[in-house]
Amino acid sequence: MSTAEKLCARLGVRVPIFQAPIGRIASPELAAAVAQAGGVGHLACTWDKPDDLRRRIREVRAHTSAFGVNFVLEFPIEENLAIALEEGVRIVSFFWGVSEKHIARVHAAGALAIQVIGSVQEAIDAVKVSPDAIVAQGYEAGGHVRGTASTMVLVPRVVDVAGDIPVIAAGGIADRRGVAAALALGAAGVWVGTRFLASREADIHSIYQERILASSEEDTVHSELFDLGWPNAALRTLRNSTVRAWEAAGRPSAPNRPGEGEIVGQRANGANMLRYDFGSPTRAAQGNTEAMAHYAGQGVGLVHSVEPAAHIVQELASGLG
């Protein structure tokens, strides 16, 4: 049995295709569709209010049990992690730090823990706390980016230190060729975000989704620009009017950036979004959504059409060989 087959058997899924937890754009509909297609859907759950978190988990669980929840360790997660485990979520992933107590808590509840890392040292730290899988996120990735090594370099290095723990490759993977390459590097599966931004089920604003289809790797920018709500964290977004104005001003730091404090729109719940807010626009966002954070990895140039999530999973899985 291959490493990929062992990972699938452990998780109870058909293919080792993981939809990355792409913020609120990772809707319950998307997570369920990916899981029903044989992969692992994901909800981002760090910032949910308790009642909202329970509702979203139950929406996915009404269709499948093969999905995960993700937590960012830069923020307090204890209450929401407890809710997810109470609700019977079987797969829990952690990002932005390694925490032995949280992984132990997941295992004590009978669930599986996945640790996302961005460097070899972080992988070594992760191995010590025995997660069920490690995601090696390369520099090409969209959204918040943990390290500086490319996927091509990082994945085999992490495979070498992970021992029997399966490694999932992330960063720049958007089609079957990326999947095949990841497996050749020793990965047991792939963790994909940008390609699922162009899924029909994604809760993404139309302007944002249109930009995904029209952009190339040259249109992505690695910075710490969209930092309101999550400071001092590297990220990769598409270049837009906010980025261009900041670059034209010489890339100043806060509070001296162009339009600092300006309201650019509203979230789906009506809350104001400021320029440089780390949130990205969902379908119901209002205002100047072009100026908001449009996260995308360098694989964006490989994304040419909006498809049902199930078709995306199928196409990616065709690279498994």
Side-chain angles (χ1 to χ4, degrees):
M1 184 180 290
S2 70
T3 306
E5 290 170 334
K6 290 178 182 177
L7 177 61
C8 288
R10 184 77 186 275
L11 296 173
V13 300
R14 295 196 301 276
V15 292
I17 308 296
F18 295 75
Q19 165 247 313
I22 43 180
R24 297 298 285 193
I25 290 169
S27 63
E29 183 184 11
L30 174 58
V34 170
Q36 288 177 319
V40 179
H42 247 101
L43 297 176
C45 299
T46 303
W47 303 277
D48 280 341
K49 294 180 179 179
D51 289 346
D52 192 29
L53 176 58
R54 289 188 190 277
R55 175 186 60 78
R56 295 206 303 138
I57 288 173
R58 290 173 183 180
E59 282 182 24
V60 184
R61 201 177 56 210
H63 302 283
T64 179
S65 61
F67 71 98
V69 295
N70 176 264
F71 295 100
V72 177
L73 297 180
E74 188 79 357
F75 300 86
I77 66 163
E78 285 76 8
E79 182 178 10
N80 280 3
L81 175 58
I83 289 170
L85 296 175
E86 287 169 9
E87 290 292 326
V89 175
R90 295 174 43 226
I91 302 169
V92 181
S93 63
F94 298 105
F95 186 38
W96 220 261
V98 176
S99 171
E100 182 176 11
K101 72 173 184 178
H102 289 118
I103 288 177
R105 188 175 180 186
V106 170
H107 285 160
L112 302 175
I114 297 176
Q115 179 65 55
V116 184
I117 58 88
S119 69
V120 175
Q121 184 56 57
E122 200 172 22
I124 292 170
D125 294 341
V127 169
K128 294 175 183 176
V129 300
S130 302
D132 298 283
I134 294 173
V135 177
Q137 185 206 45
Y139 181 74
E140 301 95 322
H144 286 82
V145 181
R146 185 67 171 162
T148 59
S150 70
T151 304
M152 181 69 76
V153 171
L154 183 63
V155 170
R157 289 275 283 132
V158 174
V159 168
D160 288 346
V161 304
D164 293 333
I165 301 173
V167 175
I168 301 161
I173 300 166
D175 65 12
R176 69 188 73 174
R177 294 170 294 181
V179 175
L183 266 62
L185 295 174
V190 295
W191 184 272
V192 178
T194 301
R195 182 63 188 95
F196 285 107
L197 294 173
S199 64
R200 291 183 183 171
E201 295 87 350
D203 186 4
I204 183 172
H205 196 278
S206 59
I207 289 175
Y208 182 7
Q209 193 169 65
E210 288 165 8
R211 294 208 62 226
I212 291 293
L213 300 181
S215 297
S216 77
E217 60 282 353
E218 299 293 336
D219 297 311
T220 72
V221 180
H222 183 269
S223 73
E224 293 184 7
L225 185 60
F226 294 94
D227 63 351
L228 298 184
W230 188 348
N232 305 312
L235 47 87
R236 187 179 297 280
T237 60
L238 294 177
R239 182 175 279 105
N240 62 1
S241 59
T242 297
V243 177
R244 287 192 295 271
W246 172 67
E247 290 177 325
R251 297 190 168 210
S253 57
N256 301 309
R257 301 173 295 189
E260 197 86 52
E262 176 186 353
I263 296 173
V264 294
Q266 291 76 39
R267 300 177 186 274
N269 64 6
N272 286 335
M273 288 188 72
L274 302 180
R275 194 177 297 276
Y276 308 114
D277 194 304
F278 84 100
S280 53
T282 59
R283 287 189 192 116
Q286 300 291 322
N288 185 10
T289 57
E290 184 279 336
M292 299 174 188
H294 292 180
Y295 297 106
Q298 289 184 332
V300 68
L302 299 168
V303 180
H304 306 299
S305 61
V306 176
E307 305 285 349
H311 291 185
I312 295 172
V313 172
Q314 275 184 338
E315 199 278 333
L316 291 168
S318 68
L320 294 169

